[in-house]
Amino acid sequence: MIDTIQIREAIPSDAEKLLNHLKKIAIETGFMTMGIEGPGKSIETETQEIEAIVASDVTVMLVALDKEEIIGIAEIHGTNRPKLRHIGDISISIAKDYWGMRLGTMMMEKLIEWANGPSSSLKRLELTVQARNERARRLYEKMGFNLEAIMPRGVKDEGMYLDVCLMSMMIGEI
Ligand SMILES: CC(C)(COP(=O)(O)OP(=O)(O)OC[C@H]1O[C@@H](n2cnc3c(N)ncnc32)[C@H](O)[C@@H]1OP(=O)(O)O)[C@@H](O)C(=O)NCCC(=O)NCCS
């Protein structure tokens, strides 16, 4: 991986750069659920969300920076609803110029490490990925995620209904 890249937890002052990254990714690849409409959030809202994430035991957000620019985001997103607060939903997006440099592998390793660590109360990680997204599917399989289901018409992109895979990984004992 390039020496100038640093991976760390997101901080509230990352909000603007983070939204810029999401806007860029949304049009760079058809693999995200977000499209040309972008994240649709203000910097203030994003700042508040990151503040809440920093204090959370069910959610973590990592950013990858090349010098000052955010070039990757990886998140485990949980909920405080009591019946669901053991489940974390994973998402990851890396700028196209940086694909294939093992950055995805490193960010996923760090998320899974966090989920298994003392700051987390998660027992299950899950994610959805388009069946046609072979790079992401291989990454998740390599990290130990299992395919649970294929959801026909799970997403619609450019007028086409596409299969979406539901994958999961259990965390610790219950
Ligand atoms: C999917 C994504 C996170 C992967 O990150 P990355 O940094 O490119 O991945 P890595 O370099 O760590 O490679 C991960 C694995 O992908 C697989 N892979 C790499 N290049 C590939 C290719 N051209 N075709 C198929 N699989 C490929 C390999 O198995 C690789 O692991 P290995 O090199 O140890 O065998 C990144 O490409 C991305 O953000 N894509 C756009 C958004 C997206 O698809 N997000 C996921 C939505 S669910």
Side-chain angles (χ1 to χ4, degrees):
M1 202 175 72
I2 306 174
D3 300 347
T4 50
I5 296 179
Q6 180 206 357
I7 300 173
R8 59 157 172 78
E9 287 196 27
I11 51 173
S13 57
D14 290 330
E16 185 171 4
K17 287 182 193 167
L18 208 136
L19 290 173
N20 287 339
H21 167 78
L22 290 174
K23 276 180 212 155
K24 183 175 165 206
I25 283 284
I27 47 174
E28 227 177 37
T29 156
F31 293 142
M32 309 293 289
T33 44
M34 179 177 45
I36 195 149
E37 74 282 2
K41 276 192 250 177
S42 68
I43 297 171
E44 290 70 30
T45 307
E46 187 63 35
T47 304
Q48 285 163 7
E49 286 184 9
I50 300 172
E51 278 164 5
I53 288 172
V54 171
S56 170
D57 64 346
V58 290
T59 297
V60 65
M61 185 189 278
L62 301 177
V63 290
L65 296 113
D66 188 3
K67 302 192 185 82
E68 293 301 306
E69 189 192 353
I70 291 184
I71 49 108
I73 301 175
E75 183 177 3
I76 300 177
H77 189 82
T79 168
N80 280 322
R81 291 165 65 189
K83 291 186 183 180
L84 298 175
R85 87 184 297 283
H86 61 288
I87 301 174
D89 192 44
I90 292 216
S91 60
I92 181 165
S93 62
I94 293 169
K96 203 166 192 172
D97 288 347
Y98 295 84
W99 289 3
M101 296 181 182
R102 301 189 55 80
L103 191 51
T105 302
M106 288 186 64
M107 294 187 94
M108 286 296 295
E109 280 172 356
K110 285 185 188 292
L111 286 183
I112 293 166
E113 195 181 303
W114 182 88
N116 280 289
S119 315
S120 148
S121 55
L122 296 173
K123 292 292 175 193
R124 169 186 165 94
L125 297 179
E126 63 183 27
L127 60 88
T128 54
V129 55
Q130 292 178 15
R132 64 179 181 172
N133 191 350
E134 283 185 22
R135 186 191 297 265
R137 287 179 65 182
R138 286 211 203 146
L139 169 63
Y140 302 142
E141 278 161 16
K142 187 177 76 168
M143 303 314 299
F145 280 79
N146 293 309
L147 178 65
E148 287 190 340
I150 295 180
M151 301 184 278
R153 304 184 195 175
V155 71
K156 186 179 177 187
D157 187 39
E158 296 186 342
M160 276 192 312
Y161 291 100
L162 302 170
D163 288 354
V164 170
C165 304
L166 171 64
M167 302 182 81
S168 70
M169 173 192 281
M170 300 308 126
I171 301 293
E173 302 296 321
I174 47 171

